[in-house]
Amino acid sequence: MRTLIQVVLRDEGERELTEESVRAWFAAAGFRPALISLSHETKLSLVLNDESTPVFTSGSEPLVEVVNRHAADILLAIPLSDQERYHALNTAKYVIHYDDAVHGTTVWGLLGIDLPNVTVRWRQRVSKSLERATEELVAKVWQNSGPGNLFEPFSPGHNVPVREPRSTTDAYVGEILPPGPRLKQRARADKSAELKTALWVSIATGACFVTGLLLFLVSSPDSGLRWVSGAFDRLATTGAATAVVSYLSYLFHLRELQRKPIIDWK
């Protein structure tokens, strides 16, 4: 299976966006980028067929062979339709990898650079390892996003597709969740109706309580105003319960989001 992560570099005028700055960030983040050096014959074979592609390299070092074979393997998993593989091949610059110690596997990825866009395609047969590598990358991008940093923040509702090799449909998707204070903003947006209900019902509850108290003070025990005062008291009690339930709905939703990983896999 494979995932696709797309991020955008920030252009703040003073900093020049280069492929080297991207490579340096991935190296500092621990993903160990290695340059791809596929031959013309291999590239031609990759865009013409879906069969296993022989890797022809200009170097003889074992590491070069490993890098290029992983690059070709990931490219073969990308469908030829809609020129997706062709675009991936033309923008692919480095192979990166992530060691999943929990499952004892290594997840290999293809780093594509088409400034200001950066694309990472991870591939691994073990879905949990694939998810861990994707989550690790997303978490580190979040840490270096926003003003003064390298990347633009992920947009709300940004999804990461998970697809079978050469498939154009999603097996399932993961929604990227914002970290820290941004997660509260997400929870407030999800539960905006409940929060508005809690606010307006709280105001109505206060008004009912004050009205009931005033009517109680100016009424006699056997007057109709005393009954009306009791009605307002009961409305205030009902409103208070409604406001509490509505606000608790937001709190429980926030706690649920906080327990999830940085990507909510669905």
Side-chain angles (χ1 to χ4, degrees):
M1 304 187 79
R2 57 194 176 94
T3 60
L4 172 65
I5 309 168
Q6 296 174 313
V7 293
V8 179
L9 300 178
R10 289 183 63 85
D11 185 4
E12 297 185 333
E14 297 180 359
R15 180 182 59 229
E16 183 181 2
L17 302 179
T18 64
E19 291 183 4
E20 175 55 30
S21 63
V22 177
R23 187 210 65 79
W25 183 86
F26 275 86
F31 294 109
R32 291 162 286 185
L35 188 65
I36 300 169
S37 57
L38 295 174
S39 67
H40 175 73
E41 292 86 349
T42 300
K43 292 180 179 179
L44 187 62
S45 178
L46 282 166
V47 297
L48 291 179
N49 66 78
D50 273 336
E51 302 301 324
S52 179
T53 301
V55 178
F56 302 98
T57 63
S58 57
S60 58
E61 297 181 9
L63 180 59
V64 173
E65 291 288 337
V66 170
V67 168
N68 290 334
R69 289 187 184 279
H70 279 294
D73 182 58
I74 296 171
L75 287 164
L76 276 172
I78 303 171
L80 282 169
S81 59
D82 299 326
Q83 300 295 307
E84 183 180 353
R85 187 187 299 177
Y86 180 78
H87 178 72
L89 178 61
N90 282 332
T91 57
K93 303 298 181 181
Y94 301 95
V95 163
I96 59 177
H97 64 279
Y98 168 78
D99 295 322
D100 181 9
V102 175
H103 299 94
T105 59
T106 297
V107 187
W108 294 85
L110 194 68
L111 175 57
I113 305 175
D114 185 16
L115 298 175
N117 301 308
V118 177
T119 303
V120 176
R121 291 175 167 88
W122 293 110
R123 189 184 182 198
Q124 173 58 249
R125 293 180 177 85
V126 181
S127 60
K128 290 300 181 182
S129 292
L130 183 67
E131 292 172 7
R132 283 180 61 85
T134 307
E135 291 166 6
E136 182 74 9
L137 175 59
V138 168
K140 289 185 176 180
V141 169
W142 266 126
Q143 292 171 6
N144 198 29
S145 64
N149 291 309
L150 186 61
F151 300 109
E152 292 282 358
F154 291 105
S155 58
H158 189 120
N159 286 334
V160 176
V162 183
R163 296 172 180 170
E164 298 288 351
R166 301 174 194 167
S167 173
T168 57
T169 59
D170 300 340
Y172 60 98
V173 298
E175 181 183 358
I176 295 178
L177 300 177
R182 293 189 180 113
L183 195 59
K184 292 184 179 180
Q185 297 175 5
R186 159 64 188 274
R188 286 196 292 267
D190 290 346
K191 294 295 181 178
S192 60
E194 286 82 354
L195 289 175
K196 289 179 181 177
T197 298
L199 174 61
W200 289 109
V201 171
S202 296
I203 294 173
T205 297
C208 289
F209 177 79
V210 171
T211 302
L213 177 61
L214 292 176
L215 290 175
F216 179 84
L217 293 175
V218 300
S219 65
S220 59
D222 57 349
S223 68
L225 283 180
R226 182 59 60 90
W227 181 89
V228 174
S229 170
F232 273 103
D233 286 342
R234 288 188 290 274
L235 285 174
T237 302
T238 302
T242 302
V244 169
V245 169
S246 298
Y247 189 73
L248 285 176
S249 175
Y250 156 74
L251 285 181
F252 289 150
H253 180 61
L254 175 60
R255 295 295 181 269
E256 181 183 359
L257 290 177
Q258 290 173 335
R259 286 195 297 267
K260 292 180 178 180
I262 198 71
I263 301 178
D264 183 14
W265 301 103
K266 303 175 182 179

